Amino acid sequence: MAYELQMSPQLEQIDGEIRDNFRALANGFQKLDKIKDSNRQSKQLEELTGKMRECKRLIKEFDREIKDEENGNPPEYNKQLNERKQSLIKELNSYVALRKTYMSSLGNKRVELFDMGAGVSEHAAEDNVQMASSMTNQQLIDAGTKTMNETDQAIERSKMVVQQTVEVGSQTAVTLKGQTEQMGRIVNDLDTIHFSIKKATQLVKEIGRQVATDRCIMFFLFLIVCGVIAIIVVKIVHPNNTSISPIPGLAPPAPARKLLSVQLMGL
């Protein structure tokens, strides 16, 4: 019994992503044939290799989904899914083989001896390759020696730059250490000031409490003095008032008649 291959939404999505990557691989290899620069070819091959890795991952995910759905599907349907997986693997292997062919072709290309500056055309690069092929062995050795000398000079300049960078880093480290120590001293001074302010605040509070206590004592003394003065005034103004007790240490006022008789006797 034949079954129509109708995949689940998950398998349909994975299969669509794989087909999109295969189309990108086909277009990429077509563009690769038109590229003459080996560096650009290598970069293009790296991008295509990334697409192949993505296809391999998707095929593995496709296989996992098939195994997860295997128990709920008819045998003929599972067979068709496995055949679809094998066809995807076969197509991916064809692109892998094509990549190996291009990699081998790039490895056999002649290495250019002359560096091309920015803005140099591909025609100028081909002229350099032809020039190198027409040179004698001694000329090639001289050119290689010259290139090695230039490389050594570049390395020496790089060493100088690295040494200068290390010196600048050392000076920066010393400066940062001094700044860190200065910040530590500032923090210690701030702690001392904070402690002094705290002690001063406590002292002010203590003085305030003492002043308040002294004011209360002076207020009570003032009340006592005022009371004594009031009693004395009342005794002088009303000497016959017996409701007011005599003040200790103060003699009661003499009657007016007795004072008058004493004055007459003195005369």
Side-chain angles (χ1 to χ4, degrees):
M1 182 176 181
Y3 291 88
E4 184 181 357
L5 186 60
Q6 294 180 352
M7 294 181 286
S8 63
Q10 293 83 0
L11 290 174
E12 202 55 59
Q13 181 180 358
I14 297 171
D15 186 71
E17 293 179 3
I18 294 172
R19 282 188 272 110
D20 291 340
N21 282 306
F22 282 161
R23 282 193 293 269
L25 286 171
N27 295 330
F29 279 111
Q30 289 178 1
K31 293 179 181 179
L32 192 61
D33 292 331
K34 300 178 183 179
I35 298 174
K36 301 300 181 182
D37 185 32
S38 59
N39 293 328
R40 291 177 59 191
Q41 285 182 348
S42 299
K43 186 176 180 181
Q44 182 71 11
L45 278 176
E46 289 178 1
E47 294 179 358
L48 295 175
T49 303
K51 293 287 184 183
M52 293 178 195
R53 292 195 186 98
E54 180 66 16
C55 289
K56 183 177 180 181
R57 184 189 66 81
L58 291 171
I59 290 173
K60 288 183 178 180
E61 188 174 351
F62 189 85
D63 183 57
R64 283 196 298 269
E65 289 292 334
I66 291 175
K67 291 179 180 178
D68 292 340
E69 299 177 1
E70 187 175 5
N71 295 329
N73 294 329
E76 185 65 25
Y77 181 73
N78 290 328
K79 181 180 178 182
Q80 291 178 359
L81 289 176
N82 287 318
E83 289 176 354
R84 174 60 180 167
K85 181 188 72 174
Q86 293 299 327
S87 66
L88 294 174
I89 294 173
K90 184 178 179 180
E91 188 172 358
L92 177 60
N93 288 333
S94 66
Y95 287 116
V96 172
L98 190 59
R99 171 186 172 275
K100 290 181 180 179
T101 302
Y102 277 99
M103 290 293 292
S104 177
S105 176
L106 281 175
N108 293 329
K109 281 189 176 181
R110 186 176 312 199
V111 179
E112 298 180 6
L113 296 177
F114 300 96
D115 295 331
M116 291 187 297
V120 178
S121 62
E122 294 181 359
H123 180 69
E126 293 176 359
D127 291 342
N128 288 335
V129 173
Q130 293 176 1
M131 186 183 298
S133 62
S134 62
M135 294 170 64
T136 62
N137 291 336
Q138 185 62 38
Q139 290 174 341
L140 289 172
I141 292 172
D142 293 339
T145 304
K146 182 180 179 181
T147 304
M148 291 175 62
N149 292 333
E150 292 176 353
T151 304
D152 292 338
Q153 292 176 3
I155 292 173
E156 291 297 329
R157 288 194 295 269
S158 300
K159 288 182 179 179
M160 292 177 61
V161 172
V162 171
Q163 185 177 359
Q164 292 175 358
T165 305
V166 171
E167 292 177 356
V168 172
S170 301
Q171 294 176 358
T172 305
V174 172
T175 303
L176 289 175
K177 183 179 180 181
Q179 292 179 353
T180 303
E181 292 177 354
Q182 185 177 2
M183 288 296 296
R185 290 193 295 270
I186 292 173
V187 171
N188 292 333
D189 293 341
L190 289 175
D191 291 339
T192 303
I193 293 172
H194 178 71
F195 179 76
S196 300
I197 292 174
K198 187 175 180 180
K199 292 294 289 183
T201 304
Q202 294 177 354
L203 182 60
V204 169
K205 290 180 179 179
E206 187 67 25
I207 293 173
R209 286 195 294 268
Q210 292 179 0
V211 169
T213 305
D214 294 340
R215 287 183 177 178
C216 291
I217 293 172
M218 292 176 65
F219 179 72
F220 284 121
L221 291 175
F222 177 74
L223 291 178
I224 293 172
V225 171
C226 291
V228 171
I229 294 173
I231 293 172
I232 293 172
V233 170
V234 170
K235 279 288 186 179
I236 294 173
V237 175
H238 303 286
N240 296 324
N241 190 354
T242 60
S243 63
I244 301 174
S245 60
I247 299 173
L250 183 64
R257 293 181 178 176
K258 189 175 180 179
L259 290 174
L260 182 60
S261 62
V262 170
Q263 290 177 356
L264 292 176
M265 290 177 63
L267 294 175

